[in-house]
Amino acid sequence: MLRLCLCLLVVGTTAVRANSAVYTKDIHLVVKTSAGDPDGEAAARRVTADINGLQLVRRHLGEDLEFHAVHDDIPEADSNARDDIINAIAQHPDVKSATQQQGFRRNKRGFRSSSSKVKNIAVSNPNGRNNTTATMGGSTNRTEQQLPEPNDPLFEKAWFLKNTGQSWGTPGLDLNVLPVWEAGYIGRNVTVAIVDDGIDYLHPDLAESYNAEASFDFNSNDPYPFPKYADYRFNSHGTRCAGEVSAKRNNRICSVGVAPGSRVAGLRILDQLYVTDLLEAAAMSHRRDIIDIYSASWGPTDDGKTLDGPLKETSRVLRDGITLGRGGLGSIFVWASGNGGPKDDCNCDGYTGSMWTISINSVTNDGSPAIYGESCSSTLASTFSSGRGAGLDAGVATVDLYGFCTLYHSGTSAAAPEAAGVFALALEANPRLTWRDMQHLVVLTSQKRGLQDESRGHKWERNAAGLKFHHLYGFGVLDAGAMVEMAQIWRPLPERFECTAGRVAQPVYFDVRQEVELTIDSNGCDFDSNSRVRFIEHVQAFVTLRASRRGDVLLFLTSPSNTTSMLLGRRPMDSDSKKGFTDWPFMTTHMWGEFAAGQWTLRAEMSASSANYTQHGLITDWTLVIHGTQDPPYRDIPDKPGSTIAQVKRIQREHLS
């Protein structure tokens, strides 16, 4: 059998518009060959031989009969020629279907204030200290144990690794990684892929950590994902994220990564005007046999009015990744929650709202939410990305392009790779952790101490399983010490089930003066052995609604245990009155560990802060899907008296009795 050429996922900087759709200059298609020929590759080659200008690129996601093909021989402005080519491919006797790929924008989530420019800092002399205090437990409860500190010159500025109060921060409020390093865990044998605009793998602080085997440039179709120079683009983004994860320790260069012994891979898909679903899917499934964690600090536009998420192929890759990645343990997808600030809601981003990803928000060094951080019920936890001050030590210290260092990396872009580094530490401590194990560890070990209580109208709440959550922070700030400690004693979770609890499919009107409540009884989830869910992990509410102004719609979901989660907050920039939401999967983690059976309530209302009191909405469909386990999830895991897991286990035992 002939070998296919390497993936040619090149998206031109020009695009063709057809109605409201945007297409790349070259025609990219998913071609499905007829099942009548079991040799799909031979059939695909017959198609490319019969149609001039059509090239066979690669087998699509390992499927026998699906292929990625590209046609690059078309006049740019000739839409009729484009249609003729697509029709000719679709009508070929060996083709069952041919789907053209649209182009769309994906934005990096780095944050740059309007008052300062990004600065590169060349560092040659160490300025480290040689002692610190920490324990494997909580980050604000340290002993006087003396631990050596790295000699990397910017380590003293890395307040997210060790917060001594730099830039008006709160001492002790950090990721608590030093005791993990002292215990010998630095992320060995773990590969983190930075899916971004490439990484500078020649940087002396990254060269030793770089995993060339796991890297690829999908823009240029080669295995060298080096960032391309451009004055008008922020092409240091991926390099900075990589440094947060894997920058080496004690080499007297820049700072140090959260997991300095881990390997880092570069998957270059950004740095262009448009990407496609095929491009994203190829990157997020690349070498999932050797890549453990995919870190993505990008997504749809954070403008407070966009409603967007992964399309068909990328959704499929994320779903398949949790069963096919890491030999069946599941790929771990980490996503930056977004930089839309209080005027946006990250549940309108289908990447961060996915139950297959771990959505990470941003916290400053004094425990307040970052000004650009979004709130939503799908956020699982937070890490750090900004300091209070405007000085050199206010941002995240990391590497930069061409051998430089920077102290200005920021945004939720900086938060996601920190989380990926913490997860790499946990995977070294226990390589058998599954994608679900990692999410449970996040829920059980994230720290609340030092974080502000009431922020933007949200405050800490406790669900019926005894777990505290916040619409901005999720379950708190990641604590590497606590996570690694629990990872070492972790036991396999019970099997995961999902249950469609019910559906309400009737039009219901609501407005500023009259809210509406819809209810579903989920008792079937407790008694049907094929889809029985008793203890909750994720909850999805698939909602279809239209409104005179989409940004004024508020949605709340209340569990049988009376825990209420805001599924959708007000978005003042969103003036949509036509599209609304169509079967949109709002997701919440706030009922984690609760009991699924009973009455669930979805409440919809129009924001009273709306200037127009004639605003109204119409819900036409709501489906409730509950994910979790039939058996108590932590029954086999040791616990300490008074710990979070001990509390949850006690509550769940009382429920069963």
Side-chain angles (χ1 to χ4, degrees):
M1 180 177 292
L2 295 175
R3 295 183 59 188
L4 300 185
C5 63
L6 289 175
C7 178
L8 182 64
L9 287 169
V10 181
V11 180
T13 56
T14 58
V16 176
R17 291 187 177 271
N19 299 323
S20 60
V22 176
Y23 296 102
T24 55
K25 181 177 180 293
D26 299 335
I27 302 177
H28 290 259
L29 311 101
V30 175
V31 176
K32 188 170 185 178
T33 59
S34 173
D37 188 340
D39 188 351
E41 183 178 327
R45 292 200 177 280
R46 286 197 295 272
V47 177
T48 57
D50 292 344
I51 299 178
N52 292 331
L54 184 66
Q55 303 172 41
L56 183 60
V57 179
R58 66 180 297 180
R59 191 181 300 277
H60 178 53
L61 301 181
E63 295 290 335
D64 291 335
L65 302 178
E66 295 184 25
F67 299 86
H68 174 207
V70 60
H71 196 293
D72 60 0
D73 187 20
I74 39 174
E76 184 174 340
D78 193 341
S79 59
N80 290 330
R82 174 177 290 263
D83 292 340
D84 291 343
I85 291 169
I86 295 170
N87 289 334
I89 297 170
Q91 293 171 10
H92 191 281
D94 285 313
V95 173
K96 183 176 181 180
S97 64
T99 305
Q100 184 181 11
Q101 292 288 293
Q102 292 188 27
F104 45 83
R105 292 185 181 274
R106 291 292 178 257
N107 296 327
K108 306 168 196 176
R109 286 176 168 161
F111 180 81
R112 289 186 283 183
S113 76
S114 59
S115 60
S116 63
K117 295 182 179 180
V118 175
K119 295 183 179 180
N120 289 334
I121 302 168
V123 181
S124 56
N125 296 315
N127 189 25
R129 291 162 293 175
N130 50 21
N131 71 290
T132 188
T133 57
T135 67
M136 287 285 284
S139 59
T140 57
N141 184 24
R142 292 177 169 161
T143 70
E144 295 304 315
Q145 180 186 8
Q146 298 299 307
L147 302 176
E149 290 188 358
N151 63 22
D152 305 89
L154 294 186
F155 175 75
E156 66 176 9
K157 303 291 187 179
W159 47 264
F160 59 99
L161 299 176
K162 183 191 177 186
N163 192 336
T164 61
Q166 308 99 310
S167 193
W168 299 280
T170 299
L173 182 61
D174 53 44
L175 293 174
N176 193 26
V177 298
L178 270 67
V180 179
W181 297 346
E182 178 67 10
Y185 297 110
I186 55 175
R188 297 180 188 88
N189 302 316
V190 179
T191 293
V192 178
I194 305 298
V195 188
D196 212 284
D197 59 8
I199 63 175
D200 181 356
Y201 46 81
L202 300 177
H203 195 291
D205 217 10
L206 292 178
E208 187 179 339
S209 303
Y210 181 63
N211 189 335
E213 183 184 10
S215 300
F216 198 79
D217 188 331
F218 291 97
N219 289 357
S220 299
N221 187 34
D222 61 53
Y224 310 108
F226 198 89
K228 301 302 183 285
Y229 176 79
D231 289 335
Y232 55 91
R233 291 181 189 161
F234 187 29
N235 289 343
S236 59
H237 189 255
T239 299
R240 294 177 173 189
C241 292
E244 288 182 273
V245 178
S246 298
K248 300 304 292 184
R249 183 178 58 164
N250 291 329
N251 63 357
R252 301 177 184 269
I253 301 171
C254 294
S255 184
V256 57
V258 175
S262 64
R263 306 291 303 281
V264 65
L267 300 178
R268 182 172 175 259
I269 66 169
L270 300 180
D271 180 27
Q272 54 192 340
L273 293 179
Y274 299 98
V275 297
T276 68
D277 191 18
L278 274 178
L279 187 71
E280 287 186 2
M284 301 309 296
S285 61
H286 182 71
R287 294 309 309 266
R288 54 188 169 199
D289 57 329
I290 58 175
I291 292 174
D292 301 287
I293 303 167
Y294 298 81
S295 181
S297 291
W298 47 269
T301 306
D302 292 321
D303 57 7
K305 59 185 178 181
T306 296
L307 181 72
D308 198 1
L311 300 181
K312 178 183 176 182
E313 303 302 331
T314 304
S315 295
R316 171 183 167 189
V317 160
L318 294 177
R319 184 178 62 251
D320 290 349
I322 57 97
T323 57
L324 301 178
R326 298 175 54 233
L329 296 172
S331 301
I332 296 168
F333 300 105
V334 184
W335 229 280
S337 64
N339 289 355
K343 294 184 179 181
D344 209 344
D345 188 296
C346 41
N347 249 354
C348 291
D349 175 343
Y351 297 91
T352 65
S354 169
M355 59 181 285
W356 317 123
T357 69
I358 299 178
S359 177
I360 300 294
N361 203 356
S362 294
V363 176
T364 64
N365 64 349
D366 70 340
S368 58
I371 58 172
Y372 41 78
E374 301 178 25
S375 65
C376 68
S377 59
S378 58
T379 296
L380 202 62
S382 301
T383 57
F384 302 96
S385 64
S386 296
R388 283 186 58 200
L392 283 177
D393 54 356
V396 168
T398 183
V399 307
D400 212 338
L401 291 176
Y402 313 124
F404 284 96
C405 319
T406 185
L407 291 166
Y408 270 100
H409 189 41
S410 188
T412 53
S413 279
E418 287 175 20
V422 172
F423 300 156
L425 298 174
L427 283 182
E428 183 189 1
N430 184 349
R432 299 303 301 170
L433 293 174
T434 69
W435 70 279
R436 286 175 60 221
D437 293 334
M438 194 66 75
Q439 295 202 20
H440 278 269
L441 287 171
V442 170
V443 171
L444 293 170
T445 65
S446 294
Q447 295 297 322
K448 287 77 177 169
R449 293 188 301 272
L451 300 179
Q452 291 185 8
D453 183 8
E454 296 200 26
S455 302
R456 301 186 197 165
H458 300 300
K459 62 180 182 180
W460 286 103
E461 300 179 57
R462 189 183 298 273
N463 72 13
L467 295 167
K468 294 182 71 175
F469 66 90
H470 197 285
H471 274 77
L472 275 161
Y473 308 125
F475 288 92
V477 166
L478 294 183
D479 185 318
M483 179 174 283
V484 167
E485 186 175 47
M486 186 170 286
Q488 293 173 296
I489 61 171
W490 194 255
R491 299 292 182 270
L493 291 166
E495 183 181 358
R496 183 182 72 89
F497 291 86
E498 66 178 66
C499 173
T500 300
R503 179 186 180 193
V504 177
Q506 60 186 41
V508 183
Y509 175 89
F510 61 98
D511 59 26
V512 174
R513 297 175 178 84
Q514 180 181 359
E515 64 184 39
V516 64
E517 291 188 348
L518 307 177
T519 61
I520 288 176
D521 192 322
S522 66
N523 282 323
C525 290
D526 193 29
F527 298 111
D528 184 351
S529 60
N530 293 322
S531 59
R532 186 181 190 186
V533 176
R534 301 182 72 180
F535 300 96
I536 299 169
E537 293 177 357
H538 307 87
V539 180
Q540 293 176 300
F542 292 82
V543 178
T544 298
L545 69 81
R546 300 291 182 271
S548 56
R549 195 174 193 281
R550 185 172 63 186
D552 288 336
V553 177
L554 305 178
L555 292 177
F556 302 86
L557 183 67
T558 301
S559 73
S561 300
N562 204 35
T563 298
T564 297
S565 178
M566 176 183 278
L567 299 181
L568 177 65
R570 183 169 185 258
R571 300 206 302 167
M573 307 302 293
D574 187 358
S575 60
D576 171 79
S577 62
K578 296 180 180 179
K579 296 181 180 179
F581 298 94
T582 301
D583 206 27
W584 186 260
F586 293 99
M587 193 270 282
T588 179
T589 61
H590 296 163
M591 291 81 173
W592 201 281
E594 285 192 354
F595 324 109
Q599 181 173 287
W600 293 76
T601 302
L602 178 70
R603 186 173 86 248
E605 59 185 72
M606 299 301 294
S607 172
S609 60
S610 172
N612 187 344
Y613 286 91
T614 64
Q615 301 291 2
H616 59 275
L618 182 70
I619 293 182
T620 56
D621 203 305
W622 167 41
T623 300
L624 177 68
V625 180
I626 305 173
H627 305 261
T629 63
Q630 297 180 1
D631 300 319
Y634 312 129
R635 63 184 182 184
D636 299 326
I637 301 173
D639 59 72
K640 298 178 181 179
S643 66
T644 298
I645 191 171
Q647 178 179 261
V648 174
K649 289 171 69 173
R650 176 182 58 79
I651 292 173
Q652 291 180 343
R653 282 196 305 267
E654 291 175 353
H655 173 75
L656 290 175
S657 62

